[in-house]
Amino acid sequence: MAEIGETTPPYLRIVGELRRRIMAGELGPGDRVPSTRQIVREWGVAMATASRALTALRQESLVRAVPGVGMVVTGAEPTTPGRGAASGGRRLPVQGLTRDQVVRTAMKIADAEGLPALSMRRIATELDVPTMSLYRQVRGKEQLLVLMADAAFAAHRLPRTFPPGWRAQLELLSRLQWSIYRRHPWLAQVISLTRPLMAPHAVAHTECALRALARHGLDQHTQLHLVAALANHVRGTAINLEQGAEAEQDTGLTDDEWMEAQADVFGGLLAAGEFPHLARLSRTAIDLNVESLFEFGLQRLLDGVAALLERVTTRTG
């Protein structure tokens, strides 16, 4: 076996250490191995790296998944709540697997570790079923992502009644979408405006936004572009949520801590005098973050819609 050194990929170094613990008896049969979150804390890696390490150990048959417990060292299986001696550790009947279980498990993985950690094999591992059994519920990952997106929107239902006025209605829809993205940061990577997902609960948002702009004198082309521009602002800003989470996992630094760590480098860049306007801004207390970008952009877009509607009213009045 090749020696593991500093040039070895991080996940292989984790695999090597956990393999050593198992072989040395530090982790015995039936013992739980560190979870993905514990690996992230111990080794300072991203969730996707931790997940890859556990997958590699499972492929070596050193660990296996036990529902309700997690990953354990192969061999004697621990007793788990709700399991009798006759059924302890056995896989749940594949015929009992439902599409809802597959979708919810996929969302749980994506919420915790991001889309890079999501695969049919990983879902099967979490459910402790054969990978091929998943294809009885979903055709593949493309359909699974549609179902995940639809479930995310379905969990945050549209209100039965909307406030009066187009602006209040569009603002409510935008804020609701923002809350969905914050709950599921991976969703921004799935949603597309040029190739929209055929997810009924997501499409319902577009319908409501078009209804808010109806009967204001706008042609259909303009209405759809305004709705798409608003949705794209929310989605485009939300993309930073997952990127920020991944960066924090990789570096162990929050955005503010990262900026503080870059202060000397940034200061040296500005000291050269090539960016006077940026240097002047840096001396003021400006709080720029995803929330402020969302709020500022939303209000300016709605101001633009108001100005457009006013011109249409003036022209037709």
Side-chain angles (χ1 to χ4, degrees), residues 165-167 169-170 173 207-216:
W166 65 266
R167 181 163 187 147
Q169 293 170 21
L170 292 181
L173 286 168
E207 174 66 18
C208 289
L210 288 171
R211 185 172 63 230
L213 291 173
R215 297 185 297 277
H216 287 285

Side-chain angles (χ1 to χ4, degrees), residues 176-185 187 238 241 290-291:
L176 182 56
Q177 291 165 22
W178 180 247
S179 69
I180 297 172
Y181 286 122
R182 287 203 66 91
R183 176 65 183 83
H184 307 286
L187 185 59
L241 296 172
V290 290
E291 291 290 347

Side-chain angles (χ1 to χ4, degrees), residues 58 64-65 67 90-98 102 119-138:
R58 193 169 189 270
R64 69 181 302 275
R90 291 186 304 181
R91 287 180 171 179
L92 295 175
V94 172
Q95 61 267 29
L97 185 66
T98 66
V102 175
S119 68
M120 300 300 275
R121 176 180 292 181
R122 174 65 190 284
I123 298 168
T125 297
E126 292 293 322
L127 290 169
D128 200 23
V129 298
T131 302
M132 292 306 296
S133 68
L134 301 182
Y135 292 95
R136 298 178 185 177
Q137 305 301 327
V138 295

